[in-house]
Every structure is written in C-alpha cells, then in structure tokens.
C-alpha cells in the first residue's frame, strides 16, 4: 500500500491514557502537542459503562483541557448508532450493562425496559455490579426471537487493582447459556472505527490508531 502521511489519530483510553483514576506519564503533554499542531483526534473506548460527558469530566480532573464530547466515541455510542440505522425508535431493548449503554440507547429513541418479558433486542455491555439475576434475565430473553448485540468483546479490563473481567467475559456467559452468538460492535470490529473515521474525515491509511 502506498504510504500516506498521517493526518489524524485515534486513541484508546483505559490502559493507554490512564489506569483507573491515575493518569499515565505524558498525558497532558500529548494533548498539548495535538492541540498545538492542530491534529484532529478521537478518543475511542470499548468501555460502555460511562458516557462521553463522564470522560470529558475525567480528562478535566486529570489536567487535560480542550476536549469535548465530539472527541469521544464509546462502544455504547457506536452500538446505539449502529442499531438506530436498523431498528425504529421505540424498539424495546433489554440491557445487561450500565448507564453508558443505557443512556446511549435512550438518546437515539429506544425503549430500554428491563422488566418486559418480550423484547426485540438484547444488548450486552460491561456491568461492574453484575449479579446472577441479571445474567438469568438476559438469558431468558434470548430464548425468544430477540436480536443479540454486544458493545465489545474485551475479555479483560485494566484497573488499578490489576486486570479484571471485561464485557467479553459477560458476553461469553450469555452466549454459553443461550446458545446464541452476538453481533459485536466495538473494537476491533469495523462499526466503531467507521464512526471515528467519519468524524475525523480521514481514510484508514492516513489515520493512526494508538492502543
């Protein structure tokens, strides 16, 4: 492939820019450089637990200014955008996950209902407050004709305590129990990268991925 000068960058966040609440070395320096050189960038994460606004607030706490929500792409946003192109507003969705994925789905018009016995879609993300009951309820809904999606396949998640189970571990439990296979949206699959590239206005060959 012919070499093309890099024009933009996509950065992972958890384990790349920070670990838990601790910034990794050089965090503020890299953003000072990006802003100074006017290099477009996207911060992309498979973590579906929080919202883009939460990430902007976290970056501010860590001393990084000049980042807004348009710079943030989460697997929750990517999943919501992907489903919004394929299902109408009001579609009933059962979520195994946290506020990030729930808010993203509600923002594009889906009816997130954990109590309905019949739903059109089941979505699996990370849930740091996972219980057997939550796994059971999601599994029961997958025994119907509900479509099955997952925010990301990450088996582990980096934390200040060490490597802990990620959304892919929860997904493995659901797939094993239901006998179903989910369509996965987040990295390393294409939908999430396509959203980032669309925002940047660059081709893959001229975009650097840092992860």
């Amino acid at each position: 492939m012919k070499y093309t000068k890099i024009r933009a960058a996509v950065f992972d966040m958890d384990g790349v820019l920070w670990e838990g609440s601790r910034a990794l070395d050089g965090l503020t320096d890299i953003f000072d450089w990006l802003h100074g050189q006017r290099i477009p960038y996207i911060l992309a994460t498979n973590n579906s637990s929080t919202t883009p606004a939460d990430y902007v607030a976290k970056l501010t706490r860590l001393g990084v200014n000049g980042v807004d929500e348009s710079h943030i792409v989460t697997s929750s946003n990517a999943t919501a955008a992907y489903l919004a192109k394929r299902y109408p507003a009001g579609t009933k969705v059962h979520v195994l996950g946290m506020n990030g994925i729930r808010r993203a789905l509600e923002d594009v018009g889906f009816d997130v209902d954990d109590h309905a016995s019949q739903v059109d879609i089941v979505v699996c993300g990370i849930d740091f407050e996972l219980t057997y009951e939550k796994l059971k309820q999601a599994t029961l809904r997958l025994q119907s004709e509900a479509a099955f999606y997952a925010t990301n396949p990450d088996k582990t998640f980096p934390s200040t305590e060490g490597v802990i189970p990620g959304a892919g571990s929860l997904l493995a439990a659901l797939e094993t129990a239901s006998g179903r296979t989910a369509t996965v949206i987040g990295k390393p699959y294409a939908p999430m990268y396509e959203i980032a590239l669309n925002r940047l206005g660059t081709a893959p060959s001229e975009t650097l991925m840092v992860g």
Side-chain angles (χ1 to χ4, degrees):
M1 180 172 62
K2 183 178 179 181
Y3 173 75
T4 303
K5 183 179 180 181
I6 296 298
R7 295 180 48 229
V10 178
F11 290 83
D12 199 347
M13 290 191 278
D14 295 296
V16 175
L17 301 180
W18 55 66
E19 288 182 346
S21 59
R22 182 179 67 85
L24 296 181
D25 292 343
L27 176 64
T28 57
D29 294 336
I30 188 64
F31 283 95
D32 288 343
W33 182 79
L34 289 168
H35 294 155
Q37 298 295 318
R38 297 186 178 181
I39 296 175
Y41 63 88
I42 288 291
L43 306 181
T45 179
N46 271 348
N47 187 349
S48 62
S49 66
T50 54
T51 66
D54 294 327
Y55 279 111
V56 171
K58 181 170 185 173
L59 284 158
T60 301
R61 290 196 300 272
L62 295 176
V64 176
N65 298 308
V67 178
D68 59 43
E69 292 184 39
S70 68
H71 290 108
I72 311 292
V73 175
T74 71
S75 61
S76 294
N77 301 132
T79 299
Y82 183 91
L83 295 179
K85 292 180 179 179
R86 291 161 175 80
Y87 299 90
T91 296
K92 199 171 290 294
V93 183
H94 180 91
V95 172
L96 177 62
M98 302 182 73
N99 186 51
I101 182 60
R102 293 173 183 277
R103 284 281 302 277
L105 291 168
E106 289 171 348
D107 285 348
V108 295
F110 289 114
D111 179 8
V112 177
D113 189 341
D114 293 338
H115 302 292
S117 58
Q118 295 293 322
V119 296
D120 303 296
I121 303 171
V122 173
V123 176
C124 176
I126 189 63
D127 190 338
F128 296 122
E129 299 174 350
L130 179 68
T131 63
Y132 181 84
E133 181 66 19
K134 291 180 180 180
L135 279 172
K136 182 182 78 173
Q137 294 302 326
T139 300
L140 289 172
R141 283 152 183 80
L142 286 171
Q143 293 174 7
S144 67
E145 297 299 317
F148 187 16
Y149 294 90
T151 59
N152 73 87
D154 294 352
K155 295 178 181 179
T156 59
F157 183 86
S159 77
T160 52
E161 299 174 285
V163 177
I164 61 176
S169 295
L170 280 60
L171 176 60
L174 275 186
E175 290 186 332
T176 299
S178 68
R180 303 276 303 277
T181 300
T183 298
V184 182
I185 305 302
K187 298 176 295 180
Y189 296 95
M192 192 166 173
Y193 289 115
E194 290 170 350
I195 290 175
L197 291 171
N198 183 61
R199 289 194 191 180
L200 291 168
T202 54
S205 59
E206 55 190 10
T207 308
L208 175 68
M209 175 67 206
V210 182

